[in-house]
Amino acid sequence: EMERFLKRIELDPKSGEIKKDYGLDASMHGLWLFGLLPPDDTRIISTNEAIHNSLSVDTPVMGLARSENDDYQRVDGNYEGIPGNPWIITTLWHAQWKLALAKDKKALEEVREYLDWTINHMNRAGVLPEQLSPFDGHHLSVAPLTWSHATFVDTVLKYNEKLKNLKA
């Protein structure tokens, strides 16, 4: 009925009741990242668009939160309208999805913006954190985080490969 994937479905073993979790989580990108379905499957498109619409951090820092109402590593500030802190990996997963859909070099411009966003959130030594403050962009949690760096390198490699293979 949502025309997208659900976060989870649980069966209560005692009552037999099926509980549906309609929440959104950036890890739902795994549905296409791990090859379960192609990135252009209509259910993947609607799921990823819902993720982007719900998890985008609408502050000057930008990026995508991990999940709705994520309180992990929250800092002082008014989170009204902010789903959580932006994470490097979740933002880059969305960039990789856009990259997978790209049919021409023009479509790569948005992906390049995500790469630039990531570069702009590195510290002077090139270190990437797990996540950022949505208010001022300062690094939160672990830094450097290998997963953030690996996802950035993976995205750059995929971007370069796509750029090489696309026409104008």
Side-chain angles (χ1 to χ4, degrees), residues 21-92:
D21 185 342
Y22 293 92
L24 289 161
D25 188 297
S27 67
M28 296 166 82
H29 277 286
L31 294 166
W32 72 271
L33 276 169
F34 299 128
L36 181 65
L37 290 168
D40 60 354
D41 181 281
T42 57
R43 297 162 296 180
I44 295 295
I45 291 171
S46 61
T47 300
N48 287 353
E49 287 175 348
I51 288 169
H52 187 263
N53 292 338
S54 293
L55 301 184
S56 286
V57 175
D58 191 19
T59 71
V61 176
M62 303 183 340
L64 266 73
R66 179 176 66 157
S67 61
E68 297 171 304
N69 302 311
D70 188 5
D71 61 0
Y72 180 63
Q73 296 289 330
R74 280 201 175 190
V75 295
D76 288 336
N78 181 1
Y79 276 83
E80 186 176 331
I82 301 172
N85 300 330
W87 288 53
I88 303 299
I89 59 170
T90 58
T91 305
L92 289 172

Side-chain angles (χ1 to χ4, degrees), residues 61-130:
V61 176
M62 303 183 340
L64 266 73
R66 179 176 66 157
S67 61
E68 297 171 304
N69 302 311
D70 188 5
D71 61 0
Y72 180 63
Q73 296 289 330
R74 280 201 175 190
V75 295
D76 288 336
N78 181 1
Y79 276 83
E80 186 176 331
I82 301 172
N85 300 330
W87 288 53
I88 303 299
I89 59 170
T90 58
T91 305
L92 289 172
W93 288 341
H94 187 74
Q96 287 185 8
W97 176 62
K98 291 291 195 173
L99 183 60
L101 294 177
K103 302 285 187 223
D104 56 40
K105 289 183 181 179
K106 176 88 172 132
L108 293 181
E109 290 175 13
E110 184 178 4
V111 176
R112 182 58 200 226
E113 289 174 14
Y114 286 107
L115 293 174
D116 290 342
W117 175 88
T118 306
I119 292 166
N120 290 333
H121 287 94
M122 291 177 176
N123 70 13
R124 290 188 314 222
V127 170
L128 287 170
E130 178 181 61

Side-chain angles (χ1 to χ4, degrees), residues 73 75 79 85 129-134 138-143:
Q73 296 289 330
V75 295
Y79 276 83
N85 300 330
E130 178 181 61
Q131 51 188 299
L132 306 164
S133 164
H138 76 264
H139 290 188
L140 298 175
S141 194
V142 178

Side-chain angles (χ1 to χ4, degrees), residues 151-163:
T151 306
F152 178 67
V153 169
D154 184 43
T155 307
V156 169
L157 291 172
K158 288 176 177 168
Y159 176 88
N160 287 337
E161 185 66 24
K162 187 76 150 201
L163 185 62

